[in-house]
Amino acid sequence: MREERDVPLAPLTSLRLGGPARRVVQVEDEAELARVLAVAEAAGEPVFVLGGGSNVVVADAGFAGVVVRIASRGIRATREGDRVRVEVAAGEGWEAFVERCVTEGWSGVECLSGIPGLVGATPIQNVGAYGQEVGDTIVKVRVFDRDARAFLDLDRAACLFGYRSSLFRHNPRYVVVRVTFELAVSDLSAPIRYAELTRALGVRPMVIALRRTKGMVLDAGDPDSVSAGSFFVNPTLSALELGALEARVAEAGVLRPGEVMPRFAADGGRWKVSAGWLVERAGFVKGYGDAGRRVGVSGKHALALVHRGEGTTAELLALAREIQAGVRARFGVELAPEPVFVGCAM
Ligand SMILES: Cc1cc2nc3c(=O)[nH]c(=O)nc-3n(C[C@H](O)[C@H](O)[C@H](O)COP(=O)(O)OP(=O)(O)OC[C@H]3O[C@@H](n4cnc5c(N)ncnc54)[C@H](O)[C@@H]3O)c2cc1C
């Protein structure tokens, strides 16, 4: 266990923003985690669990409590017929895990290549991209239940996975310590499996290349990747709400000739609309905010807010509110933020 005091949090986040934490404690295993949480609870000290910091916005004032970082490592695979069960410690890096899966011929997470952060954070918002979500392949999540003060194993149904949501989202009760995935095995001996392996091997570089064009791969040489990924989730609307939105879109005159507003059928007869499209058509185009502003809209992706250096969380939040208000005024749609706020709010 390693403990430091008055630790700047900005370098621990992909946005490079935010003030210090009173304490940061790094835990290596379950016993250490339980001990740290018990001490914090007894002292009435607020706790925040930080992974790779790629989906958080930390207040300029920092966090007056203990930030717990899970540094447990280990990947254990068990073959079961044409499937493999892979138990992964929460502190493993997600991207390295996906690379290992593709190399081993385990398929099911290859479309999630290039997403930053730790494995333990992936169930929190049911990380997803290009048609895959971790909730499709997760079969078990081991957590520390802070209310029951005990470790427990939750199966997929108990995790309540949905679009960018789960039992764990905005719910500090559970700390994830291990995630178990069930993946398909691609064996070179079987022609069908070979085709699957070729697909997975081919998908990964394609996904990473595509993500790079959008600034969606963390890269020290790409200023558009200094973000928390997508800042807003895609709104999910009822058929009635969709009709009202389409009328407002037509009225606003923002459709190009022959264009239809992008929308996708979601569960329960609802419709998902593209937050990025709404943001752009409300006037917040790629690169918005460039002139002298230290935060802005990514030059590669309308949904990513980027920190251009020397900025503050207050500036970032002001920009996010400006975009939210702009979309509300033009289209009557309320955009919900995707990142988790630490010590601040929208
Ligand atoms: C460039 C870029 C691209 C991205 N692309 C995508 C994408 O395509 N799809 C997508 O879904 N997301 C994407 N994201 C968002 C982010 O990478 C994911 O949400 C990721 O899973 C966050 O992992 P993290 O370890 O960085 O978590 P953090 O940002 O550290 O934490 C996020 C939340 O999870 C909680 N948390 C973290 N670890 C644990 C744990 N062990 N137990 C309990 N709670 C925990 C934290 O308390 C916090 O609430 C992107 C982000 C960036 C910067």
Side-chain angles (χ1 to χ4, degrees):
M1 187 159 77
R2 223 179 60 208
E3 177 175 334
E4 289 175 275
R5 291 190 167 263
D6 301 318
V7 182
L9 290 175
L12 304 182
T13 71
S14 55
L15 269 169
R16 310 260 162 234
L17 287 172
R22 193 191 291 155
R23 294 199 292 143
V24 172
V25 181
Q26 189 163 305
V27 298
E28 312 280 340
D29 56 34
E30 293 188 0
E32 284 184 1
L33 174 67
R35 217 163 39 238
V36 166
L37 293 174
V39 169
E41 191 184 322
E45 194 179 18
V47 172
F48 184 77
V49 178
L50 183 69
S54 63
N55 209 24
V56 291
V57 177
V58 179
D60 292 314
F63 182 67
V66 56
V67 167
V68 177
R69 307 193 77 199
I70 305 207
S72 57
R73 305 302 298 264
I75 300 181
R76 202 177 71 192
T78 318
R79 180 81 182 254
E80 290 172 6
D82 61 354
R83 321 282 300 166
V84 62
R85 270 191 173 233
V86 197
E87 287 178 40
V88 193
E92 290 284 343
W94 173 255
E95 169 56 8
F97 170 61
V98 175
E99 185 178 25
R100 161 109 188 251
C101 291
V102 171
T103 310
E104 298 270 3
W106 304 334
S107 59
V109 291
E110 57 282 351
C111 296
L112 306 174
S113 295
I115 297 179
L118 302 184
V119 168
T122 58
I124 310 301
Q125 70 156 359
N126 186 17
V127 157
Y130 304 110
Q132 277 179 354
E133 290 180 337
V134 285
D136 301 336
T137 46
I138 287 175
V139 287
K140 196 164 67 181
V141 177
R142 183 165 174 79
V143 295
F144 183 75
D145 179 342
R146 293 175 62 196
D147 286 1
R149 298 193 186 93
F151 288 93
L152 60 119
D153 293 305
L154 301 169
D155 64 13
R156 179 186 295 155
C159 294
L160 305 177
F161 290 121
Y163 167 62
R164 295 298 176 276
S165 70
S166 73
L167 169 72
F168 318 110
R169 182 106 162 120
H170 303 303
N171 184 357
R173 173 172 171 181
Y174 302 103
V175 180
V176 175
V177 295
R178 197 189 310 142
V179 186
T180 305
F181 298 85
E182 195 179 281
L183 303 165
V185 178
S186 308
D187 256 334
L188 286 174
S189 52
I192 295 173
R193 296 285 165 214
Y194 181 76
E196 253 178 41
L197 174 63
T198 315
R199 190 188 69 81
L201 282 171
V203 162
R204 184 172 151 75
M206 249 165 51
V207 165
I208 292 179
L210 188 58
R211 293 182 68 91
R212 278 192 193 286
T213 65
K214 299 179 174 183
M216 283 288 158
V217 175
L218 287 189
D219 178 347
D222 180 3
D224 280 322
S225 74
V226 186
S227 77
S230 297
F231 202 90
F232 299 103
V233 293
N234 291 324
T236 309
L237 308 178
S238 68
L240 206 68
E241 289 165 336
L242 178 72
L245 172 60
E246 283 176 329
R248 290 189 84 142
V249 163
E251 199 182 304
V254 296
L255 288 171
R256 296 179 183 136
E259 190 186 15
V260 179
M261 183 187 74
R263 55 184 170 68
F264 314 90
D267 290 344
R270 294 175 71 79
W271 293 87
K272 204 189 279 182
V273 295
S274 163
W277 190 90
L278 294 174
V279 166
E280 274 205 291
R281 299 308 161 93
F284 305 98
V285 294
K286 296 185 186 91
Y288 178 85
D290 258 346
R293 279 176 86 163
R294 302 184 294 188
V295 295
V297 175
S298 159
K300 301 193 181 83
H301 195 322
L303 213 44
L305 303 191
V306 295
H307 172 212
R308 305 199 184 288
E310 310 293 321
T312 64
T313 299
E315 289 169 337
L316 184 89
L317 292 177
L319 174 66
R321 287 188 201 108
E322 181 188 345
I323 292 172
Q324 210 178 30
V327 169
R328 188 188 303 123
R330 181 158 277 200
F331 302 121
V333 170
E334 194 63 34
L335 290 182
E338 184 187 297
V340 173
F341 296 96
V342 185
C344 53
M346 273 281 291

